[in-house]
């Protein structure tokens, strides 16, 4: 509990201070911000209910939920991740849309030449937020645990991007995507193909320092292919249509990574 010294004494209902004794206690106490900040730092609930509070059967009563608006829609947070770190600048979304681009939009990364002028859009659709690519050249990628692969699917492991080629269903391949065209083709034939950094004993070895020794696995069953993440830097898949963001999500435009956090109950 805050100490009496940390409370600001404010009289709310006195109309004639000349008739009130100087020793009269104030009728309303406003708690200072400093005392609340200290409680939050210590991880203690402000003004906790007495532990003895219970119903007639002796069962302890549950505390109230933390307050949040019930009329206006919830806010959201967008973290622009600093290079090589897990955090960065935080932007609060107070409108219904936010455009990301190299030079156009509310969030711009002018020095990222791999990002398009207008790249991706975050938009609130009445019930949830969604992320859409707005015709960028390089695409917008989201981080996933696993994904089904189709002919033409694009994904990123480490700093390397691949296109899944399943024109020949008997010999599907992951094709490295380079700035000037296609690179090495890696066969994914068989029920399981492991992907990792070159020289680490995986079926597919890629010379990329951002790829883990065993980074991902491509599994085949009943004519369908699925890739699963096993790596530190994650598995990223290019979106082909708007996706719903009901939970915290990571996405990438150009070489810039973001974390989106909807502040829902």
């Amino acid at each position: 509990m805050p100490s009496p010294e940390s409370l600001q004494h404010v009289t709310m209902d006195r109309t004639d201070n000349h008739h009130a004794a100087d020793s009269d206690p104030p009728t309303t106490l406003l708690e200072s911000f400093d005392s609340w900040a200290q409680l939050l730092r210590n991880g203690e609930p402000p003004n906790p209910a007495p532990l003895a509070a219970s119903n007639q059967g002796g069962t302890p009563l549950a505390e109230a939920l933390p307050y949040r608006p019930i009329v206006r829609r919830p806010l959201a947070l967008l973290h622009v991740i600093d290079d090589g770190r897990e955090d960065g600048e935080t932007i609060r979304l107070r409108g219904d849309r936010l455009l990301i681009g190299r030079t156009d939009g509310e969030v711009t990364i002018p020095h990222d030449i791999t990002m398009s002028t207008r790249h991706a859009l975050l938009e609130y659709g009445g019930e949830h937020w969604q992320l859409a690519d707005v015709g960028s050249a390089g695409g917008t990628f989201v981080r996933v645990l696993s994904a089904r692969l189709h002919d033409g699917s694009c994904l990123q492991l480490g700093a390397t991007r691949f296109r899944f080629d399943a024109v020949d269903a008997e010999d599907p391949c992951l094709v490295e995507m380079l700035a000037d065209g296609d690179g090495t083709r890696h066969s994914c034939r068989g029920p399981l193909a492991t992907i990792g950094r070159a020289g680490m004993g995986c079926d597919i070895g890629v010379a990329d320092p951002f790829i883990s020794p065993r980074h991902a696995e491509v599994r085949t069953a009943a004519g369908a292919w699925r890739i699963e993440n096993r790596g530190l830097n994650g598995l990223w898949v290019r979106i082909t249509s708007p996706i719903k963001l009901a939970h915290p999500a990571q996405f990438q435009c150009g070489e810039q990574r973001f974390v989106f956090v909807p502040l829902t109950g």
Side-chain angles (χ1 to χ4, degrees):
M1 291 289 290
S3 65
E5 291 77 10
S6 68
L7 300 178
Q8 297 174 344
H9 290 207
V10 179
T11 301
M12 303 294 290
D13 57 0
R14 289 180 182 168
T15 59
D16 187 357
N17 289 336
H18 296 290
H19 297 289
D22 292 338
S23 61
D24 287 350
T27 57
T28 301
L29 300 179
L30 297 186
E31 191 167 358
S32 74
F33 175 80
D34 287 343
S35 65
W36 272 85
Q38 184 63 44
L39 286 169
L40 292 175
R41 283 194 295 270
N42 293 340
E44 302 172 5
N47 296 326
L51 294 178
S54 61
N55 60 20
Q56 293 181 351
T59 303
L61 299 177
E63 185 52 274
L65 296 174
Y67 172 78
R68 62 175 57 251
I70 58 175
V71 176
R72 71 159 171 81
R73 66 166 179 77
L75 302 179
L77 303 178
L78 179 67
H79 303 291
V80 185
I81 302 303
D82 292 339
D83 297 346
R85 302 185 62 180
E86 297 298 326
D87 56 8
E89 178 187 3
T90 298
I91 298 169
R92 286 168 172 78
L93 282 70
R94 294 186 171 91
D96 289 334
R97 64 196 307 273
L98 182 140
L99 178 66
I100 299 170
R102 181 163 47 84
T103 57
D104 292 358
E106 289 73 35
V107 176
T108 59
I109 315 290
H111 62 286
D112 189 342
I113 61 174
T114 64
M115 185 180 291
S116 294
T117 301
R118 296 165 55 88
H119 199 108
L121 179 68
L122 288 165
E123 189 168 25
Y124 188 74
E127 295 183 357
H128 56 262
W129 288 89
Q130 67 176 22
L131 171 67
D133 186 88
V134 290
S136 71
T140 299
F141 290 73
V142 294
R143 185 168 182 166
V144 300
L145 293 175
S146 65
R148 185 167 180 177
L149 294 175
H150 304 275
D151 182 49
S153 295
C154 294
L155 53 105
Q156 179 171 327
L157 303 174
T160 306
R161 292 186 176 178
F162 301 87
R163 183 184 70 256
F164 185 65
D165 184 346
V167 173
D168 181 357
E170 298 300 321
D171 188 20
C173 295
L174 282 175
V175 184
E176 293 186 30
M177 301 171 63
L178 307 178
D180 56 354
D182 290 349
T184 305
R185 296 174 63 88
H186 303 278
S187 176
C188 298
R189 184 183 303 166
L192 173 66
T194 58
I195 308 168
R197 195 162 63 244
M200 296 296 168
C202 288
D203 301 316
I204 298 174
V206 184
D208 180 341
F210 303 110
I211 288 182
S212 294
R214 187 178 180 119
H215 198 110
E217 298 173 352
V218 176
R219 296 180 179 274
T220 306
W225 298 273
R226 191 168 193 85
I227 186 168
E228 299 178 353
N229 178 57
R230 296 289 184 268
L232 174 67
N233 287 316
L235 164 65
W236 303 74
V237 176
R238 184 173 182 171
I239 63 174
T240 57
S241 60
I243 62 168
K244 178 180 177 181
L245 299 177
H247 306 284
Q250 300 180 55
F251 66 94
Q252 179 172 329
C253 301
E255 290 191 314
Q256 179 62 54
R257 292 186 171 179
F258 302 87
V259 175
F260 177 80
V261 182
L263 298 180
T264 56

